Amino acid sequence: MNLIFLGPPGAGKGTQAQRLEKEAGARQLSTGDMLREAVASGSEIGRRAKAIMDKGELVSDEVVIGIVGERLGQERQGFILDGFPRTVAQAEALDRLLAEKKLKLDRVVEFAVDDEALVDRLSGRFNCKSCGAMYHDRHKRPKVAGLCDRCGGREFLRRPDDNPETIRTRLAAYARQTAPLLPYYRGKGLLLTVDGMADIAQVAGLIDRALGQKG
Ligand code: AP5
């Protein structure tokens, strides 16, 4: 199944994409992760992207479309686009890429979450340094404190853009540049909205039922 997960920063896109990748085999394609890899590699694209990401603004359409174009189409059991597209120009470019690669989009899943909850989720988020598994100070702690459930790693990281000022900019960017994608995909009959305010397990159940995978 080929999916887009759409929603504001902290809505739970990455959490649910990681879960579906593990359970259903669909590949998570996160443009945020790809850009952070470019930053870590010290490449020219990474250096330019870092300054923009640190401010909470969007990296240029051209750069992001180029990165996705290189990756898309190598998945055997479908993909979950997480954090892409984020502008109407990116959505139109994705339509062209899918047509070129003879791929079809099955669903666009929107995560609906209040701004207040988003700030709480982003402020408490941390990831395993080795495997990227996602945790939260209160909503999703490792089963054994200080040890990653997935790989046993002992080091964790917090994202530099998860600070109050940058979170505000990211939420504003979502409202201004990404929310217009909701009518875009509704018009194509692909949009499916889930209540992202429920807890992590409940959201998983809502997504699975909506996609017709379980229950
Ligand atoms: P990106 O990495 O895509 O970040 P984002 O969209 O801001 O989304 P997040 O990863 O912050 O949130 P999420 O929805 O995945 O939530 P998560 O599951 O982690 O982008 C970063 C930057 O890169 C952008 O600002 C931009 O500069 C650039 N960029 C990326 N893509 C781009 C593009 N296409 N175009 C241009 N620029 C681009 O959950 C958050 C926390 O909440 C976790 O701790 C989790 O454990 C917890 N949680 C999850 N679900 C629940 C729940 N149901 N209840 C309680 N807690 C929960």
Side-chain angles (χ1 to χ4, degrees), residues 49-168:
K50 182 174 177 4
I52 299 167
M53 293 166 81
D54 284 350
K55 282 193 272 181
E57 293 168 2
L58 295 188
V59 173
S60 78
D61 289 334
E62 193 195 346
V63 165
V64 179
I65 291 164
I67 293 178
V68 173
E70 282 170 18
R71 300 266 183 116
L72 195 66
Q74 296 163 20
E75 310 73 29
R76 294 164 126 212
Q77 298 183 66
F79 58 77
I80 307 162
L81 283 166
D82 164 11
F84 180 90
R86 257 172 151 101
T87 63
V88 171
Q90 290 180 20
E92 289 169 350
L94 177 63
D95 288 343
R96 291 192 292 276
L97 277 173
L98 292 171
E100 271 168 32
K101 293 174 192 273
K102 300 193 175 19
L103 292 167
K104 184 177 141 279
L105 196 57
D106 294 299
R107 286 287 188 188
V108 178
V109 181
E110 179 205 1
F111 292 64
V113 181
D114 297 349
D115 277 8
E116 211 176 297
L118 297 172
V119 175
D120 167 64
R121 289 183 189 182
L122 294 172
S123 311
R125 169 167 62 182
F126 59 100
N127 292 81
C128 171
K129 188 180 174 191
S130 313
C131 73
M134 188 105 59
Y135 297 98
H136 189 278
D137 291 329
R138 279 173 292 108
H139 307 305
K140 191 177 182 237
R141 295 195 192 109
K143 290 190 183 98
V144 178
L147 218 59
C148 174
D149 298 347
R150 196 157 75 179
C151 75
R154 289 171 184 276
E155 284 188 77
F156 297 88
L157 297 172
R158 291 189 190 256
R159 275 174 42 181
D161 57 346
D162 282 346
N163 67 76
E165 196 189 332
T166 311
I167 291 171
R168 268 196 302 278

